[in-house]
Amino acid sequence: MTFDSVALVWFRRDLRSTDHAALHAALSAHGAVHCAFVFDTEILDALPSRSDRRVEFIWESVRELKAALEVRGGGLHVLHGRARAEIPRLARELGATAVYANRDYEPAAVARDEHVARDLERAGIAWRARKDQVIFEREEVRTRAGGDFTVFTPYKRAWLAQLAPFRFEPYPIDKHTARLARAGSASLPALEAIGFARTNLAELAIATGMTGGARLFAQFKRRIDRYHERRDYPAVKGPSHLSLHLRFGTVSVRQLAGYAWRRASPGAQVWLTEIIWRDFYFMILASRPDVVAHAFRREYDALRFDDDQTLWRAWCAGLTGYPLVDAAMRQLERTGYMHNRLRMVAASFLVKDLGIDWRRGERWFAAKLNDYDLAANNGGWQWAASTGCDPWPWFRVFNPVTQSLKFDPQGKFIRRYVTELARVPPRYVHAPWNMNIDQQRAHRCLIGKDYPAPIVDHATARRRTLERFGAIKRDRSLSGR
């Protein structure tokens, strides 16, 4: 411990002032601890739109974090530039002997952090990374042979076998807040000053920051016991809606997982499984960074996908003629959110009904989802496309009408987003093309005019998918692999 030294804590996807591994470590070892956040232009400049809900969410969360640190006697240096240059520069300027950060597992972030660590080392400044956004990192959950898991169920068993109360212990901050250093006259640049415009975040009533995450978690606690019964129905308030807060660290994963583990109800245990899936996909990304551009099962890189721009545009716009798919895509466009069941349905439809490369869909979700997380997004898309680890079997193809009947039986969710079907009764809302012309007129929904006819026939598309994957199987069999 060097209590006469200065440290810098770099906040990234951990925008909270409580239960924070890197902040706790710095406060425990140094006499003065500065805090910083960088609006990283390497990330921001790559975004397709200057009106991005995620950037506004981050801005609002950083504002709350800054205020929380100031109340504790500290502050937050808020910078705008290339983080790989700004952090070493600030550390040198402050006379820091160490820079602390919570580990990030995405390939680009790993490369950035390695660059920063090298720059710091040349200046005689230590780089200290901590585990914070997962319960278990890659090397902590291994097969008996010491390798990485590629199937979820045995991973889950191994994950659960290692659980103990200390895994959920929070990292205390308040004990050492006197060591927090002020940030001088550092101010928060306006959202517009970093090149972004306001979105409909407030109109959508999306809760931001630590207080927003805490409020959503308190609400979810009241319904967590029924999570397993309600989670698949998009018209019902079943999910936790905490994925956005987990993405940017405005809640602690230890707090959430610990609560679910101790609660032990069927609903809580199913929700804990979702947190385990999250760790699983982080582990996969860390062990196989090539999945960003390639199928996890590399033989499926040879799949021959179609490139029909008309079908692609219809999927993006929610104009496929399949109501549940269209409702999901329109919800994504208007709100930046898509129910998890519908993510599977929409992904399956793109790949297995329209025959379009899963990577295109993954990139579309990456641009649109508020809670976009590379590990989970990639893992989910590869699962639906049957190209990933522990995938949905390639010979099983989601039927969009069956999914609609099962998970939105009254069509409440469909009508919320596909307003053309507002007057169509439940009997026809899942497959409105089954109405005769008199029924279409009576319900003010002419197929092909007010609402599109299906752009593909599901049965025909399914056969093409089986042929597409079957060709890969045959080729591997003939080559003896």
Side-chain angles (χ1 to χ4, degrees), residues 234-236 327 404 407-418 426 429-430:
V236 175
S404 183
F407 297 113
D408 190 27
Q410 298 302 311
K412 292 180 180 179
F413 177 80
I414 288 171
R415 292 191 196 86
R416 187 182 307 163
Y417 289 98
V418 186
V429 75
H430 310 284

Side-chain angles (χ1 to χ4, degrees), residues 227-242:
Y227 175 76
H228 62 304
E229 300 170 345
R230 300 162 65 91
R231 65 178 181 142
D232 282 320
Y233 299 89
V236 175
K237 195 171 184 179
S240 70
H241 296 290
L242 284 164

Side-chain angles (χ1 to χ4, degrees), residues 40-51:
D40 192 344
T41 52
E42 286 191 79
I43 297 172
L44 298 181
D45 290 350
L47 294 174
S49 171
R50 299 296 92 187
S51 179

